[in-house]
Amino acid sequence: MILVTGGTGTVGKPLVENLSKRGLQVRVLTRNPKRANDIAGDLTTGNGLATALVGVTTIVHCASDTKRFGKTDVEQARNLLTAAKSAGVDHFIYISIVGIEKIPMPYYRIKLEVEKLVEDSGIPFTILRATQFHDLVGTMLLEPQRKLPFVIAPGAQIQPIEVTEVADRLAELAVQAPQGRVADIGGPTVTTLKDMAKTYVEIQGKKKPVLGLRVPGKLGKALRAGGLTCPEQAVGTGTFAEWARARN
Ligand SMILES: NC(=O)c1ccc[n+]([C@@H]2O[C@H](COP(=O)([O-])OP(=O)(O)OC[C@H]3O[C@@H](n4cnc5c(N)ncnc54)[C@H](OP(=O)(O)O)[C@@H]3O)[C@@H](O)[C@H]2O)c1
């Protein structure tokens, strides 16, 4: 039995579908259970975790307090790892982000802290770092600006990936033995947020200017230098243009 935390989220949903298609038994931990394989639990309070983990051999931890930039992520990971240890779980898989040690952002410091908790937990683990999903760039940066007469794009190199490809890699790891930190996974090309914005505007059939925004300080420098990318691991095939066309 595989427990997926965050199985209702952007990467968790396709992961659950993928695991089910492989004929594996999957349980989804969620605060709002709705479907047959959902089980109620809250990682921040720890409520429901012991029950959710009965019979579980592998956890894929995809939950994150993303709406509050990871505010409770460390607490969530601590609660889950403690419960997993008591339940005798023998493989803990964590989805992390490429370049978190290079980009000085609070959410990334939290991700590093969670990685360390996983590594020090004593539970055999696998950590996979992925680049940004097309959805994140599309829904957080570009779609909110849809009605503006221009698009603002912060200066950053980026290598976005199709989320179903990340889900597929996680599913593959879930049926293998624990491997520690595995090779990063990135999308097919390194581009810039500005070029992505231009592609998005073009696909929408609009003619509006894309304005670059220079991000100041160490953060800006790290983003421009490609800290978020892993060009040597460009294993994804789905492009941002395909994603944008499908949503237009
Ligand atoms: N988005 C990206 O571009 C990207 C790239 C690389 C790695 N990642 C990593 O991938 C992971 C998933 O990201 P995502 O974008 O798929 O997240 P998301 O769509 O925002 O989903 C967050 C999930 O976390 C669950 N959750 C939050 N708080 C919880 C709590 N207290 N108890 C139980 N479940 C809780 C939610 O479940 P319920 O609401 O159903 O309870 C939801 O399924 C994160 O660790 C993120 O850092 C993301």
Side-chain angles (χ1 to χ4, degrees):
M1 173 65 81
I2 300 170
L3 180 78
V4 179
T5 75
T8 58
T10 311
V11 70
K13 238 189 252 173
L15 170 62
V16 170
E17 279 168 23
N18 191 310
L19 291 168
S20 304
K21 274 194 195 135
R22 288 172 190 246
L24 298 160
Q25 271 194 295
V26 194
R27 198 178 281 163
V28 174
L29 185 90
T30 166
R31 289 163 297 179
N32 302 299
K34 287 183 191 126
R35 293 166 307 175
N37 59 349
D38 287 353
I39 188 152
D42 188 323
L43 290 161
T44 309
T45 61
N47 288 343
L49 295 191
T51 310
L53 285 167
V54 173
V56 168
T57 50
T58 299
I59 295 176
V60 191
H61 183 36
C62 300
S64 171
D65 197 354
T66 47
K67 290 194 180 97
R68 295 188 300 168
F69 306 102
K71 193 173 174 199
T72 61
D73 280 16
V74 171
E75 217 172 328
Q76 291 194 20
R78 265 205 200 101
N79 288 336
L80 183 62
L81 287 163
T82 305
K85 220 164 180 183
S86 307
V89 167
D90 48 34
H91 190 183
F92 191 101
I93 302 171
Y94 181 53
I95 174 75
S96 190
I97 305 175
V98 168
I100 47 178
E101 74 287 358
K102 296 182 193 155
I103 308 284
M105 290 207 307
Y107 183 58
Y108 288 3
R109 275 199 296 275
I110 291 166
K111 296 288 297 180
L112 272 176
E113 208 176 326
V114 173
E115 281 192 357
K116 184 92 176 60
L117 284 176
V118 173
E119 286 161 0
D120 294 345
S121 67
I123 304 172
F125 68 90
T126 302
I127 294 175
L128 172 69
R129 288 183 175 184
T131 55
Q132 284 63 43
F133 312 150
H134 295 141
D135 308 60
L136 182 83
V137 185
T139 54
M140 284 191 66
L141 179 73
L142 302 175
E143 281 177 8
Q145 300 192 62
R146 222 181 156 111
K147 297 213 167 120
L148 295 179
F150 50 82
V151 181
I152 296 172
Q157 286 198 50
I158 188 148
Q159 190 184 343
I161 188 165
E162 168 53 43
V163 72
T164 52
E165 295 182 319
V166 179
D168 192 47
R169 178 73 179 125
L170 284 170
E172 194 177 82
L173 292 169
V175 293
Q176 293 172 1
Q179 295 174 54
R181 168 103 182 266
V182 292
D184 294 350
I185 181 171
T189 42
V190 175
T191 177
T192 60
L193 283 176
K194 196 171 177 183
D195 278 346
M196 285 178 73
K198 282 184 187 163
T199 302
Y200 186 77
V201 169
E202 207 178 292
I203 287 170
Q204 279 186 313
K206 300 221 166 116
K207 284 199 166 43
K208 53 184 186 177
V210 176
L211 313 172
L213 176 75
R214 192 177 168 84
V215 181
K218 281 186 188 157
L219 174 61
K221 206 171 163 190
L223 290 171
R224 286 190 295 277
L228 288 173
T229 66
C230 55
E232 69 296 344
Q233 283 299 124
V235 290
T237 59
T239 67
F240 177 71
E242 283 161 1
W243 178 90
R245 261 183 232 114
R247 288 180 63 112
N248 193 27

